[in-house]
């Protein structure tokens, strides 16, 4: 598993050098279509919708492009991004990346189990530590296009993990997230999601 992570990180790092950075000032104007769900600065007030503030621009651009190609399926998002140009995508991604995520805190009852899994994984079940890709503080790895997860809504993170576990979401490189999430129990997904909500 760790060898696969390193290989994917290296390959994605090579690809990322060709990505053109966007303009956050232009992106702020273009992001008008996003603010109804994701907030004026990318901090969503609804836990069903992810915070985009502080997310790596390249990761955001990948998700937009995956919605455009329907490699990632969501009827609302597929329609919202359909007409975005490559420049629009880069600019919107740059705008949200330039903002700071609001850390809302974690559910105290889930912190210990979530912390244990996030930082150390579950070796006997072949579950890698979340921190191995997303970093000890949840900052992610922009070169490898591993997203920042710090401060993400617990409800959204749990949905994402459950979607990876069921295969409803499959736009993860080499099934990395599907492999991990598919081995987690429901209470473990909830605990990790709650821990991430307060991680910074």
């Amino acid at each position: 598993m760790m060898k696969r992570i390193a290989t994917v990180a290296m390959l994605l790092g090579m690809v990322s050098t060709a990505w053109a950075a966007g303009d956050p000032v232009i992106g702020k104007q273009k992001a008008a279509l996003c603010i109804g769900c994701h907030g004026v600065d990318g901090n969503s007030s609804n836990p069903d919708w992810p915070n985009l503030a502080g997310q790596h621009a390249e990761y955001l651009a990948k998700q937009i492009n995956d919605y455009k190609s329907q490699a990632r399926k969501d009827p609302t998002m597929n329609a919202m991004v359909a007409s975005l140009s490559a420049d629009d995508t880069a600019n919107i991604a740059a705008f949200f990346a330039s903002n700071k995520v609001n850390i809302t805190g974690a559910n105290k009852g889930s912190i210990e189990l979530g912390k244990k899994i996030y930082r150390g994984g579950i070796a006997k079940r072949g579950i890698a530590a979340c921190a191995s890709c997303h970093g000890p503080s949840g900052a992610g790895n922009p070169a490898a296009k591993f997203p920042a997860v710090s401060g993400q809504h617990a409800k959204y993170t749990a949905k994402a993990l459950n979607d990876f576990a069921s295969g409803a979401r499959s736009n993860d490189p080499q099934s990395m997230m599907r492999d991990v999430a598919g081995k987690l129990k429901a209470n473990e997904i909830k605990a990790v999601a709650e821990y991430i909500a307060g991680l910074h």
Side-chain angles (χ1 to χ4, degrees), residues 76-159:
T76 302
M77 285 300 303
N78 296 140
M80 292 292 285
V81 303
S83 64
L84 293 178
S85 69
D87 284 345
D88 291 339
T89 296
N91 293 333
I92 289 169
F95 167 66
F96 286 122
S98 72
N99 295 319
K100 186 175 179 181
V101 68
N102 293 333
I103 307 297
T104 56
N107 180 322
K108 300 268 191 276
S110 299
I111 286 178
E112 284 310 311
L113 176 59
K115 179 179 180 180
K116 181 179 175 184
I117 295 168
Y118 186 90
R119 296 194 177 277
I122 306 174
K124 66 184 178 184
R125 287 177 20 220
I127 299 172
C130 309
S132 62
C133 289
H134 299 288
S137 66
N141 181 336
K145 294 190 180 136
F146 297 148
V149 294
S150 172
Q152 189 54 264
H153 295 298
K155 188 173 181 182
Y156 175 78
T157 299
K159 179 186 184 306

Side-chain angles (χ1 to χ4, degrees), residues 117 122 125 127 161 165 180-186 188-189 192:
I117 295 168
I122 306 174
R125 287 177 20 220
I127 299 172
L161 289 171
V180 171
K183 295 173 185 172
L184 290 170
K185 297 174 184 175
E188 293 167 342
I189 285 176
V192 168

Side-chain angles (χ1 to χ4, degrees), residues 42-56:
N43 283 291
S44 170
S45 60
N46 185 327
D48 290 318
W49 301 320
N51 290 325
L52 304 182
Q55 186 56 266
H56 306 301

